[in-house]
Amino acid sequence: MSAACDFVALHTGQKMPLIGLGTWKSERGQVKEAVKCALSVGYRHIDCAAAYSNEAEIGEAFQECLGPNKVIKREDLFVTSKLWNTKHHPEDVEPALRKTLGDLKLDYLDLYLMHWPHAFERGDNLFPKNPDNTMRYDYTDYKDTWKAMEKLVEKGLVKAIGLSNFNSRQIDDVLSVATVKPAVLQVECHPYLAQNELRAHCQKRGLVVTAYSPLGSPDRMWKHPDEPVLLEEPGIKKLAEKYSKSPAQIILRWQVQRKVIAIPKSVTPARIQQNLQVFDFSLTEEEMNYIGSLNKNWRYIVPMITVDGKLVARDAGHPHYPFNDPY
């Protein structure tokens, strides 16, 4: 692993770097260069997903940068991908993974996550919709999907499996049937959504937490005009001045210092590099507590759709929708 990047140990014994490059919303035409740039400045963790529709291009970057005669060996890189909602049927799980591996030009993944607990209608349309714009669902039990994911570990196609966007009750539900335990929970997490209860829940059960949208996802499609802007938080800006760092670096330092993995997304070379430069300073206990006290339980990432002219949470009616529980 690159000395620039600290890591946490998963229950499998794997070392997972604390900072990774996120690739959600990274456009085709930009993501290949972003990945190559990240690898060149010392990133050794890339977070992908079939639903981002850019894995083939990330695969081109891997093909150019990884290999026995290249600067980076495959075993030095930690790659995560995710099973999409339309592929929860147990028979669809391995083919979905093999498609991801083919696109990424890899023989195995370090980590494969179930992207959401709720399933959409089976098929190749990522977002199957009814004429009124509502989603077409499938009601496969995520525990059945999990059992199919366990077989991928037995076959050596993935080294670890985990969950994304699951609540505490759903995590326990998976653990009740798991012979291969989830290693990681990936959820939205930042100072406005500190996820303290969920983190404690995971810690007790041996799961490491990865924070997506760790900077509050300033480039989302569905913004509220009056929502709080994390990078503008005055106390964080003050800390940035004190340490001669950016507000983003202060927020990322807070995460890694509490052993939460963060996967900031960027396609800008200077920012990609800056987001990794968080291992050369430490926040005081008081500063850590201050950032932790900013929590507002403010969730930025709730997929929304317009139905009858109104903006509504797209999947709130699904019985496995995770965000109806407190955590």
Side-chain angles (χ1 to χ4, degrees):
M1 291 291 167
S2 157
C5 199
D6 218 342
F7 53 79
V8 284
L10 304 183
H11 74 61
T12 55
Q14 291 163 277
K15 290 175 173 177
M16 186 166 178
L18 276 160
I19 293 284
L21 180 74
T23 59
W24 179 41
K25 302 185 302 308
S26 297
E27 300 292 328
R28 291 181 217 181
Q30 294 183 315
V31 75
K32 178 181 174 182
E33 289 310 312
V35 170
K36 285 170 67 176
C37 168
L39 294 174
S40 74
V41 299
Y43 281 72
R44 292 299 178 263
H45 169 190
I46 309 289
D47 182 85
C48 316
Y52 305 163
S53 300
N54 57 11
E55 288 191 325
E57 197 174 313
I58 293 169
E60 291 173 22
F62 287 163
Q63 202 171 25
E64 288 178 29
C65 302
L66 286 188
N69 313 318
K70 307 269 169 65
V71 182
I72 304 166
K73 303 202 173 4
R74 169 65 186 98
E75 57 272 22
D76 295 334
L77 184 64
F78 194 102
V79 181
T80 301
S81 186
K82 309 180 194 82
L83 178 76
W84 185 237
N85 309 6
T86 50
K87 303 294 177 185
H88 278 214
H89 231 266
E91 305 89 279
D92 295 340
V93 171
E94 186 178 322
L97 169 71
R98 287 189 182 274
K99 165 87 166 79
T100 277
L101 288 173
D103 284 347
L104 292 174
K105 300 182 171 58
L106 299 176
D107 299 326
Y108 68 90
L109 290 179
D110 299 277
L111 177 64
Y112 198 39
L113 305 175
M114 201 182 320
H115 207 141
W116 290 89
H118 52 278
F120 294 165
E121 182 178 76
R122 285 177 86 179
D124 291 323
N125 176 4
L126 289 173
F127 296 97
K129 287 186 175 173
N130 294 306
D132 68 353
N133 210 26
T134 55
M135 300 303 301
R136 296 177 69 84
Y137 294 124
D138 179 274
Y139 298 97
T140 305
D141 188 327
Y142 50 75
K143 292 192 290 296
D144 296 335
T145 311
W146 184 259
K147 296 313 283 183
M149 289 174 70
E150 292 183 337
K151 296 195 175 89
L152 307 175
V153 180
E154 289 159 28
K155 291 184 176 180
L157 295 169
V158 304
K159 294 203 166 176
I161 49 179
L163 305 168
S164 176
N165 298 305
F166 275 59
N167 65 38
S168 58
R169 180 177 48 81
Q170 293 169 326
I171 293 165
D172 289 352
D173 203 22
V174 169
L175 284 167
S176 72
V177 301
T179 47
V180 179
K181 284 187 164 180
V184 169
L185 173 71
Q186 185 177 127
V187 286
E188 179 182 349
C189 182
H190 44 72
Y192 290 164
L193 185 68
Q195 298 280 26
N196 294 324
E197 299 87 358
L198 194 53
R199 275 181 56 239
H201 189 91
C202 286
Q203 218 164 0
K204 280 195 202 97
R205 288 155 180 79
L207 282 83
V208 167
V209 173
T210 297
Y212 73 69
S213 304
L215 305 176
S217 194
D219 59 350
R220 270 165 4 277
M221 297 77 100
W222 53 81
K223 273 192 174 170
H224 300 263
D226 53 349
E227 69 183 22
V229 180
L230 181 57
L231 292 169
E232 299 293 320
E233 180 65 45
I236 286 179
K237 288 169 102 169
K238 249 199 198 122
L239 287 172
E241 278 167 36
K242 172 184 165 181
Y243 287 104
S244 304
K245 292 283 182 181
S246 68
Q249 286 170 313
I250 298 296
I251 292 164
L252 294 171
R253 177 67 210 174
W254 172 73
Q255 293 285 25
V256 302
Q257 199 165 316
R258 51 184 213 149
K259 295 298 177 215
V260 170
I261 294 163
I263 46 169
K265 167 258 170 178
S266 180
V267 292
T268 313
R271 283 208 191 121
I272 289 173
Q273 188 160 14
Q274 201 184 67
N275 289 342
L276 190 61
Q277 292 166 342
V278 294
F279 298 104
D280 56 356
F281 75 109
S282 287
L283 298 166
T284 66
E285 195 178 342
E286 195 182 0
E287 289 163 348
M288 287 291 291
N289 293 338
Y290 157 70
I291 297 173
S293 76
L294 297 172
N295 182 47
K296 312 174 188 301
N297 291 325
W298 182 274
R299 194 183 293 284
Y300 287 105
I301 309 300
V302 179
M304 305 296 278
I305 54 169
T306 306
V307 179
D308 299 330
K310 277 212 283 283
L311 211 55
V312 293
R314 186 187 66 200
D315 303 323
H318 195 293
H320 298 149
Y321 181 70
F323 304 148
N324 291 330
D325 288 35
Y327 69 90

